[in-house]
Amino acid sequence: MTRIRLLIYLLTACFASTSLAQENGIGEWRAHLPYRKCTAVAEAGDLIYCATPFALFNLDRIDNSMNRLSKVNGLSDVEISTISYSETYKTLLVAYTNANIDLITESGIINISDIKRKNVFGKKTINRILLLDKYAYLSCGFGIVVLDLSRNEIFDTYYIGPSGTSLEVNCLTYDGTHFIAATVNGIYSANATGSNLADYASWTKDTTLLQPDANYTHIAYYSGKTISVLANTGYGDDTLFVKNDTTWDEMLPGIADDYTSIKVSKSHLLVCANGSMQIFNDTLGSVWLTYSYNPGTPAPMDAFEDNDGSVWIADQYSGLVKNMGWSNEYYKLNGPGSHQVFSMTAAGSDIWVAPGSVNSSMGNTYNTVGPFSFINETWYTLKDYNPCLDTLFDVLYVAVDPNNYQRVFLATWGYGLVELQNGIYSRVYSFNNSGLEKPYDFYDWVGVGGLSFDESGNLWMINSDCNKLLKVLKPDGTWNAYSVSSVISQPKATQLMIDSYNQKWIMLFGSSGILVYNDNNTIDNTSDDRVTRLTTSLGSGNLPSAAVYSFAEDLDGEVWVGTDKGLAVFYNPGSIFSGDNYDAQVITIEQDSTAQHLLAFETVTAIAVDGANKKWVGTQKAGVFLFSDDGQKEIHHFTAENSPLLSNTITDIVIDGNTGEVFFGTDMGICSYKGFATTGEDKYQGVYAYPNPVPPGYTGYIGVKGLTRNSWIKVTDISGNLIYETRSEGGQAVWNGKNFNGEKAKSGVYPVIAISEDGSEKVVTKILIVN
């Protein structure tokens, strides 16, 4: 055995311990999407595919394994509307609400974006899919699109409305000779062998209906009869109709419900409704009714029957359900409780999400989606463990006690402040048992906005609409209140940040700028406190706009502010009350040989600072930017079009400083990107490389962690020859596995020497590469 092979053999065992818990790769993406709300289900051989509004998963019936599919790992889009499987072509059709289409085949995923890209008159969405021979007939918001599965291309489009106008088709069925379409304006039919189904004149409206111009949402042909659903606007008010020869009759006289699907599967008709899933035989007699789970009430959206007689249900609350008569099996993937994100909080590697919402006037939306957390790679939905939180609404912010991660506070827009201990409801602070106030005598409403702990363990918060806007809960359980009425009266306010000068930055609603409050580090003495309002005026902030949406302090103590006219920076925030000039400065960059203000035409909704002092900036419409520490260099610009980012509308950004993973909250859910930078250590501790050993065929980045900020990193071969060097980004250095000439490093052991920025510390670790 050669010397190098012997070293590799001996060292593999030494490195095995680090390979057992490999982190996700640097530069890789992950989707964090809810999977309990299922909307469509399809059988594909041994696989059961189940769709949620934002992702797809499958269950392998052979080994009960489950796999996720999302925009991060192959799908082309988000907001899935329906799915259907072609046994003939071994293809799963995935349709989206924007009319995009993915075909999941045995050889990969094929995207057909023709309808999405095309300008059409009418609503651009795909509601249902009918498979017939080699064609897939797509019921769209403007008509019917025919997809040829043998060629994977659009074959034809039918505009069936009056005079060839667009008409939303909810569902389509085939009775052996005719296509029958349920639309928002009645039921239409056409001879399937007609020479030109694209001609609206080929389609005839059924005038025998009692309400021929009504909205019919579902339709199926079963046992020689056409069954359809008449949708009514009231709750639980839809009606099932069946066509017997030439007349339409109520299928279930006197019974109304909210029907979500009717489908012929095997030898039965399956009807999904609010609270039940019913099976009918060929005489339309009910042979089975599922009206309860254990636990819970059914909310089926779609279903099919398999060869064993089991019914697989896509349920909007219980995930994928296998119904076997009197028993059920439940299949759920772990994920957050909702796609909604108002704000996020990082406490170490714990990520907390507040999914509440407010309207455009900062009024309540009564959003009862409770908070959820991501801890040790598992998502927890707090309402699952706290039924008392069902009535809690509009949770806007979360604060975690930095000295005790099990103690968590929720800011609610109307309910006050809620405390959790170990994830369990502990108490609520309101106007009648705390220092919080209700702004209106006639209404027991207590609005709490941003939350933030200071270094002394005091929890500061915004008590909106009150003159004493700023409140603090001290570690001993007592409260203080601080007035801002000298500057502004009863303001509505949202975010709160405490800077390194212990100044409180308060984001005012609308175009009202920012309040900065300085208690002079005498928390119990208000006589020496000062408050000012930052606006667009020179000498009073010089903001590019008073409509502020975000702010963050960087590692140099500078405060970055996001407005609807881009970014501005307070380089000397400690001078705000000194009388010296402290005005914000816009960052000027050169673009197309022209000086421009950074993101001047974007609304900056989120700012996060990573371990290398780089700025992650989220926008309302343009996705995410990563800028250098001074903002002069654009490192990344992630959009929904060029990356797995779920949406270009960013609601918040937080960073797990331990791993460098950057979490993006969007209006379509949460995704994350493993960045280069981690939080720098005070001194070298636990320095290691990953992945280690580097496996054959690996093409990703190799990280070295546990470093101090701006360390020098030198990679050598076993003979001591320098092959690569770089500086760490915060507490992590990244190597692409290549030498200075761009050649991939050969198999072997590579010592890594780390030297602190001031040269006072030095540490050596090793990387094993196996090719």
Side-chain angles (χ1 to χ4, degrees), residues 558-632:
E558 299 167 355
V559 174
W560 292 62
V561 176
T563 75
D564 63 353
K565 294 183 179 179
L567 285 165
V569 185
F570 287 91
Y571 291 105
N572 300 298
S575 300
I576 287 178
F577 296 101
S578 69
D580 296 333
N581 178 40
Y582 65 86
D583 276 352
Q585 305 295 317
V586 295
I587 295 175
T588 302
I589 59 172
E590 185 174 320
Q591 188 171 6
D592 299 327
S593 301
T594 304
Q596 297 184 12
H597 293 165
L598 187 62
L599 301 182
F601 302 104
E602 303 294 343
T603 296
V604 175
T605 54
I607 305 170
V609 181
D610 69 16
N613 207 29
K614 294 178 296 186
K615 281 61 179 189
W616 291 89
V617 178
T619 66
Q620 194 173 76
K621 296 180 180 179
V624 173
F625 296 82
L626 175 61
F627 294 111
S628 58
D629 58 350
D630 60 3
Q632 292 292 325

Side-chain angles (χ1 to χ4, degrees), residues 511-556:
S511 299
S512 301
I514 299 171
L515 290 181
V516 180
Y517 195 97
N518 189 329
D519 64 12
N520 205 30
N521 293 316
T522 57
I523 191 171
D524 294 316
N525 178 14
T526 60
S527 64
D528 57 357
D529 294 1
R530 291 172 292 179
V531 61
T532 191
R533 181 177 171 190
L534 307 181
T535 66
T536 57
S537 300
L538 286 171
S540 296
N542 194 33
L543 292 168
S545 169
V548 178
Y549 288 83
S550 55
F551 44 42
E553 184 181 30
D554 72 9
L555 301 184
D556 295 330

Side-chain angles (χ1 to χ4, degrees), residues 155-206:
F155 173 73
D156 209 346
T157 301
Y158 307 155
Y159 287 92
I160 69 173
S163 302
T165 57
S166 63
L167 176 65
E168 181 166 10
V169 178
N170 293 314
C171 193
L172 185 71
T173 192
Y174 175 67
D175 68 0
T177 59
H178 287 75
F179 289 116
I180 310 170
T183 80
V184 296
N185 186 30
I187 294 177
Y188 291 72
S189 64
N191 192 321
T193 60
S195 60
N196 186 12
L197 293 182
D199 181 0
Y200 74 93
S202 299
W203 294 81
T204 303
K205 189 172 186 177
D206 192 332

Side-chain angles (χ1 to χ4, degrees), residues 247-273:
T247 62
W248 288 89
D249 303 304
E250 288 190 32
M251 179 174 156
L252 302 173
I255 298 177
D257 210 329
D258 284 328
Y259 295 101
T260 54
S261 171
I262 59 173
K263 178 186 289 185
V264 179
S265 184
K266 298 300 186 279
S267 60
H268 292 111
L269 177 71
L270 277 55
V271 177
C272 295

